[in-house]
Amino acid sequence: MHPVEALHGDLGMLAKGDVVIALSASGETEEIVQLLATIKRLQLPLIAITCDENVALAPSLTRSSTLASAADVSLSCAVAAEACTLGLAPTASTTAMLALGDALAVAVSQKKGFKEEDFANLHPGGKLGKRLARVESLMHTGDAIPKVTAPTRMPDVIYEMSRKKLGVTTVVEGDRLLGIVSDGDLRRLLEKRGKDALDLTAGECMTRDPKTISPSEFAATALAVMEERKITSLVVVDADRKLEGIIHLHDLWGTEML
């Protein structure tokens, strides 16, 4: 809130439970000083950030600025000299205020127990938000999931894999995952059994207990697992191994993680 705009109506933004952090190099900025009475009337806690040397060096010997004196908590950003060649324009002091503001934000974040999950929910945009995307927001679901049952014959398994274009099909019993058949499984089976492989069923050819991932995991975790296992797809299941979806390496191209 800009202090001049606050004097002309923006004070209406303040409500009970708010904390006012007022920044002023001198602690005597007229527009901010004029707000002190209203802030006190609203009984809002006031934290002052000033470059008041009295606060930092000798509070008992000299008078603090008006803002520092009125505040419940006064923090000093006093600097030896401004970076301005004239020594007048706030430069080093404004940088110090920014650093102190970041320190306060980090301290509050720690106190609140702010976690990566909270960051992901509140920061959906930009590269950081994409890195924190969840598997559930990128995975294939519903009819897009390649799915067969254990008795399904291999020609139909191959058809399902080709139709859904994920290089893999899940093998299920109801909604519960039993295993998967991947392109790699199919190639190895044909090398070993030749055309006789087409007489087998999905249950006889599947990889049991494949590597899976939870829908609430970060997409970055899914990518790390794929790279470690040298695979291109991960089946997404819940805690009871109920099939939720499939995430493919191609789904991660747009997240800027690749």
Side-chain angles (χ1 to χ4, degrees):
M1 183 190 304
H2 194 282
V4 174
E5 294 170 349
L7 289 170
H8 294 277
D10 277 8
L11 271 176
M13 295 167 61
L14 297 178
K16 187 173 182 180
D18 288 343
V19 175
V20 177
I21 302 177
L23 291 79
S24 170
S26 66
E28 300 292 349
T29 305
E30 183 178 352
E31 294 85 357
I32 293 182
V33 170
Q34 289 183 45
L35 298 175
L36 294 178
T38 302
I39 292 170
K40 293 298 182 183
R41 178 175 57 79
L42 295 173
Q43 298 182 329
L44 302 178
L46 174 62
I47 299 172
I49 300 179
T50 71
C51 293
D52 193 325
E53 292 185 5
N54 300 336
V55 177
L57 302 177
S60 62
L61 299 179
T62 51
R63 185 181 66 83
S64 298
S65 66
T66 302
L67 179 58
S69 299
D72 299 288
V73 176
S74 183
L75 303 175
S76 176
C77 280
V79 294
E82 295 289 2
C84 167
T85 54
L86 300 175
L88 298 175
T91 43
S93 58
T94 52
T95 302
M97 285 186 176
L98 284 170
L100 181 55
D102 283 345
L104 289 173
V106 169
V108 171
S109 174
Q110 268 189 319
K111 188 72 174 175
K112 291 180 68 176
F114 199 78
K115 295 182 175 60
E116 284 181 326
E117 291 83 356
D118 304 303
F119 194 102
N121 291 332
L122 298 173
H123 199 293
K127 190 169 184 178
L128 283 173
K130 290 174 181 176
R131 283 178 56 198
L132 294 171
R134 300 287 179 170
V135 167
E136 61 191 349
S137 68
L138 299 171
M139 68 185 184
H140 299 265
T141 60
D143 292 337
I145 305 174
K147 187 165 39 176
V148 297
T149 59
T152 305
R153 310 296 292 185
M154 286 307 294
D156 293 324
V157 172
I158 295 170
Y159 175 73
E160 178 72 356
M161 291 170 65
S162 299
R163 191 165 66 95
K164 300 297 176 66
K165 299 178 180 179
L166 292 177
V168 67
T169 184
T170 60
V171 183
V172 297
E173 184 177 35
D175 289 331
R176 187 172 177 275
L177 179 70
L178 298 179
I180 63 167
V181 179
S182 68
D183 282 340
D185 293 331
L186 183 57
R187 285 194 303 272
R188 287 185 289 272
L189 186 64
L190 289 171
E191 288 173 1
K192 183 178 180 180
R193 303 286 295 269
K195 64 179 182 179
D196 292 340
L198 298 178
D199 296 327
L200 301 175
T201 64
E204 293 171 315
C205 303
M206 68 183 181
T207 297
R208 299 177 184 275
D209 298 319
K211 183 65 179 176
T212 60
I213 195 165
S214 164
S216 61
E217 284 282 2
F218 291 121
T221 302
L223 176 60
V225 172
M226 289 183 200
E227 290 178 336
E228 179 187 355
R229 298 291 184 108
K230 293 181 173 55
I231 56 178
T232 57
S233 296
L234 273 176
V235 182
V236 185
V237 297
D238 65 11
D240 298 320
R241 290 187 68 79
K242 178 184 175 184
L243 180 62
E244 298 281 347
I246 288 184
I247 185 166
H248 192 276
L249 189 63
H250 291 166
D251 302 323
L252 303 174
W253 284 113
T255 64
E256 300 181 20
M257 289 187 290
L258 298 176

